[in-house]
Amino acid sequence: MSVNPISYKRHRFPPDVIRQAVWLYFRFTLSFRDVEEMLAQRGVDVSYETVRCWTLKFGQLFAQNLRRSRCCSSHWNLDEVFVKIRGRQMYLWRAVDDEGEVLDVLVQRRRNKGAAEKLLRKLLKNQGIHPETITTDKLPSYGAAVKDLNLEGRHKPGGMRENNRAENSHLPIRRRERKMQRFKSQGSA
């Protein structure tokens, strides 16, 4: 798979500055104003609103290129976590490979078989491979969804230790949630 080149035409700042700002925002739990301040310390005068526009425009493109260039893993870990969005309890479903890289994320209102099946279908479609193993916690929804998709032999329901990769992948989400003082929309989660 080839990586698509990203065009920086009609942007006042050099591509290196844009890449650095987007990387800082997504890599660390920083606000747009924090990134603005860090760039100002390096002599780059940019507003936080410009940083916001860059993350919206280039963040998805960088993520797509990273996914294309990354080799697919055949061991998946699935888990869900509770998040509050505008005061309503939602579930953030995550799929992580055996190296801890996030494969996919899904925000749902329910924690049932349908939501688990939706995540698995999305994964199978986007990854293009059937995994060797699917490690989950002991939530019955996973077992039912795996059974419907004929992946029973690959499913390993385990406790916290077996699914530690997925559990640890929630930590950055929790940090960002605290930094943002709760999520305002499903997209921000």
Side-chain angles (χ1 to χ4, degrees), residues 11-57:
H11 287 280
R12 186 171 74 118
F13 290 91
D16 289 338
V17 171
I18 296 171
R19 281 192 296 266
Q20 180 74 13
V22 173
W23 177 76
L24 283 169
Y25 178 75
F26 286 113
R27 174 60 181 91
F28 304 103
T29 55
L30 299 174
S31 68
F32 297 126
R33 292 179 193 269
D34 292 338
V35 175
E36 173 190 17
E37 189 175 312
M38 290 179 81
L39 291 174
Q41 288 176 342
R42 291 175 174 86
V44 179
D45 186 26
V46 63
S47 73
Y48 71 91
E49 184 62 24
T50 304
V51 174
R52 186 187 72 80
C53 291
W54 288 345
T55 58
L56 290 175
K57 181 176 182 178

Side-chain angles (χ1 to χ4, degrees), residues 60-98:
Q60 280 292 97
L61 297 172
F62 293 158
Q64 288 170 355
N65 282 345
L66 285 172
R67 276 189 217 106
R68 281 194 192 103
S69 65
R70 186 179 47 164
C71 179
C72 298
S73 175
S74 59
H75 302 283
W76 297 350
N77 297 284
L78 308 180
D79 194 39
E80 74 289 337
V81 67
F82 302 98
V83 292
K84 286 239 183 195
I85 299 174
R86 288 192 184 168
R88 295 183 62 196
Q89 183 171 307
M90 305 285 272
Y91 300 94
L92 181 75
W93 298 74
R94 294 172 66 87
V96 179
D97 68 5
D98 56 340

Side-chain angles (χ1 to χ4, degrees), residues 98-117:
D98 56 340
E99 295 175 2
E101 294 293 323
V102 177
L103 299 172
D104 217 333
V105 177
L106 183 68
V107 178
Q108 293 284 306
R109 286 193 189 122
R110 302 192 189 282
R111 186 177 170 212
N112 60 9
K113 176 186 136 190
E117 192 171 326

